[in-house]
Amino acid sequence: MTSFVHEVGRRRTFAIISHPDAGKTTLTEKLLLFSGAIQIAGSVKARKATRHATSDWMEIEKQRGISVASSVMQMLYRDHVINLLDTPGHKDFSEDTYRVLTAVDSALMVIDAANGVEAQTRRLIEVCRQRDTPIITFVNKMDREVRDPLDILDEVERELGMPCVPMTWPVGQGKTFGGIVNLRTNAMTVFESGSERLPQDFEAIPLSEQAKLSERFAMEWQTAMDSMELATGASPAFDKEAFLAGKQTPVFFGSGVNNFGVMEVLDALVDLAPSPRPRISHLTVNKQVQEKTIHPEDAGFSGVVFKVQANMDANHRDRIAFVRVASGQYKPGMKLKVQRTAKELRPTSVVTFLSQRREAVDEAYAGDITTGRHHHRWTCFAIYRFTFLCARVVHDSDFEEPVAYQTTATRLGPTW
């Protein structure tokens, strides 16, 4: 049991959300790069790029440089299993994003420092607030001519309805962008442009060397210190309980395309983001709604189908069900039962994803995202109908109730 609880505690499952073109997919690519999941980061801009972003695997995504469907990626970092879901930013594909937000424990919100909080970001913030989803904020594109960081913090606080707690602070912006001050480590990381740089390539100077920093960055340093003093003085101290309750958001600054400020976000996802949390399951029996709290440490396996996607493999007319494990441990060969219909099934071809790349699952714990291909017609229909109806109910009720957890799959027993 100790090993099982330890495995659950290692999981971090989060979605990256933002308005289109804020740099969400670029940040996803850099997180994958720094965790070691990929060796070369792709591009989301050029149509003729030799390497496209890992999460943008569909042909239309490569051609247009946008995310059309959410992508699931799993990576290992600092002995933690991180399940990352990159979501579409455009409102035309927002239903996919809403489904993903029912399956995660936290969200990473990316904001364009020049434009601040934009329309689609506001809508996603509303969804997160209704679910009390913890939000980590990353203010991107600080290497461009952008708004004053104090103005951005003020706007984020107004839109989120919760206080911001700066974790890093920029020194300068645009052509005079000198780097960021890490308030967790009391050191300044010096900015150098270039998409090939790794975290260890950036120079770090302790804040104790004030004279050196003041001489090197001159007026930009003094301006940054004055604004940082105002921001930290007006902001509360970081309270992890308040953050986990969705009442506070830590804020980071950086430039995703230049690999700058990304490592601080990755460390925060491990240190601050929650491990899998309890889920509420509703089941109607004799017209009476029964509510049950499913804890991730529960021994019995349960999971939630939050999305079904067809034709992910161009060579097969497949239909893939995406399952968020809610409790217990999945092992190959297990028999499962769909709670709503009471139909039994034995999942086949259960895999984890790194975008389109698949790897067979030997085991999965609460917080993991697994997928299964369903060949039997009734199985496909039952799962697809559940997901479709949940999406419609959530949409029609304006996200007032987390109904996506009404149906779970529970283990029947060992397979002999």
Side-chain angles (χ1 to χ4, degrees):
M1 179 59 72
T2 302
S3 176
F4 173 76
V5 173
H6 173 70
E7 287 295 332
V8 172
R10 292 174 61 212
R11 265 61 185 175
R12 300 289 186 272
T13 304
F14 72 99
I16 298 187
I17 59 174
S18 78
H19 191 82
D21 301 323
K24 171 171 42 61
T25 300
T26 297
L27 180 60
T28 298
E29 200 76 357
K30 304 305 182 177
L31 292 173
L32 292 172
L33 175 66
F34 291 167
S35 69
I38 60 176
Q39 300 303 313
I40 303 175
S43 169
V44 297
K45 286 194 172 183
R47 284 190 184 185
K48 298 181 180 179
T50 56
R51 180 179 176 86
H52 294 278
T54 304
S55 57
D56 286 348
W57 56 270
M58 297 172 66
E59 194 59 37
I60 188 174
E61 293 177 318
K62 296 177 181 178
Q63 292 176 359
R64 298 191 180 186
I66 62 172
S67 297
V68 171
S70 57
S71 298
V72 179
M73 289 149 284
Q74 188 178 81
M75 52 191 180
L76 290 172
Y77 178 68
R78 285 176 47 191
D79 195 38
H80 284 72
V81 180
I82 300 177
N83 297 290
L84 184 161
L85 292 90
D86 181 26
T87 62
H90 289 263
K91 63 180 181 180
D92 294 342
F93 314 112
S94 57
E95 188 170 325
D96 199 336
T97 303
Y98 300 152
R99 291 178 181 179
V100 165
L101 288 175
T102 68
V104 299
D105 299 302
S106 60
L108 174 58
M109 179 174 67
V110 183
I111 293 178
D112 186 330
N115 299 323
V117 180
E118 299 174 87
Q120 185 62 9
T121 308
R122 291 189 183 95
R123 179 59 178 148
L124 297 173
I125 288 172
E126 181 185 344
V127 177
C128 290
R129 287 181 61 191
Q130 290 171 356
R131 303 183 59 82
D132 291 330
T133 302
I135 299 175
I136 295 174
T137 302
F138 179 70
V139 181
N140 196 19
K141 304 184 181 181
M142 289 302 301
D143 57 314
R144 304 182 183 182
E145 297 303 324
V146 296
R147 293 165 54 183
D148 185 85
L150 287 173
D151 290 341
I152 295 174
L153 281 190
D154 182 60
E155 183 178 20
V156 172
E157 286 194 350
R158 290 198 314 269
E159 297 292 345
L160 262 69
M162 66 178 77
C164 295
V165 182
M167 293 293 184
T168 62
W169 194 257
V171 177
Q173 59 177 260
K175 294 181 179 179
T176 61
F177 183 47
I180 55 174
V181 175
N182 190 328
L183 299 176
R184 300 177 69 196
T185 62
N186 291 317
M188 176 179 173
T189 305
V190 180
F191 172 75
E192 290 185 48
S193 63
S195 59
E196 303 301 321
R197 295 187 178 278
L198 296 176
Q200 59 268 25
D201 298 331
F202 294 107
E203 180 186 3
I205 304 175
L207 292 187
S208 57
E209 300 182 17
Q210 288 283 332
K212 179 180 179 181
L213 291 167
S214 181
E215 179 182 358
R216 182 167 177 178
F217 298 102
M219 192 63 185
E220 297 300 330
W221 172 255
Q222 189 57 50
T223 302
M225 290 300 97
D226 292 341
S227 61
M228 185 177 75
E229 184 178 357
L230 286 172
T232 55
S235 302
F238 178 72
D239 183 342
K240 190 169 184 178
E241 292 302 317
F243 163 65
L244 296 179
K247 306 299 182 184
Q248 195 181 83
T249 177
V251 180
F252 297 82
F253 292 82
S255 171
V257 73
N258 289 295
N259 298 0
F260 192 74
V262 177
M263 184 57 74
E264 288 80 0
V265 173
L266 187 55
D267 285 329
L269 289 168
V270 171
D271 298 332
L272 308 181
S275 56
R277 302 199 288 178
R279 304 269 162 168
I280 304 298
S281 173
H282 296 90
L283 177 65
T284 302
V285 179
N286 296 327
K287 298 183 179 181
Q288 298 293 322
V289 178
Q290 298 180 356
E291 181 178 295
K292 179 182 179 181
T293 301
I294 299 177
H295 297 275
E297 299 84 7
D298 292 345
F301 174 85
S302 64
V304 180
V305 178
F306 65 92
K307 171 186 171 180
V308 173
Q309 186 164 343
N311 302 326
M312 291 187 67
D313 187 342
N315 298 318
H316 301 279
R317 297 180 62 183
D318 58 358
R319 182 175 291 167
I320 302 296
F322 288 75
V323 180
R324 153 71 191 242
V325 180
S327 68
Q329 178 184 8
Y330 170 81
K331 292 183 179 180
M334 290 174 62
K335 286 184 179 180
L336 306 177
K337 179 170 68 176
V338 179
Q339 189 182 64
R340 182 178 60 84
T341 63
K343 289 186 177 181
E344 301 177 8
L345 61 92
R346 190 195 304 270
T348 59
S349 304
V350 177
V351 297
T352 56
F353 274 79
L354 181 62
S355 186
Q356 195 181 23
R357 195 172 71 208
R358 311 178 187 189
E359 183 177 333
V361 172
D362 294 324
E363 60 181 8
Y365 298 87
D368 286 339
I369 306 295
T370 62
T371 63
R373 178 184 298 165
H374 300 275
H375 300 283
H376 300 294
R377 189 179 185 87
W378 65 267
T379 303
C380 291
F381 176 75
I383 294 181
Y384 180 80
R385 183 183 176 199
F386 154 67
T387 307
F388 176 74
L389 288 177
C390 279
R392 286 296 300 273
V393 171
V394 171
H395 177 73
D396 292 343
S397 64
D398 200 26
F399 299 90
E400 292 178 357
E401 187 70 19
V403 295
Y405 300 114
Q406 287 185 345
T407 301
T408 59
T410 54
R411 182 177 181 181
L412 291 176
T415 303
W416 303 102

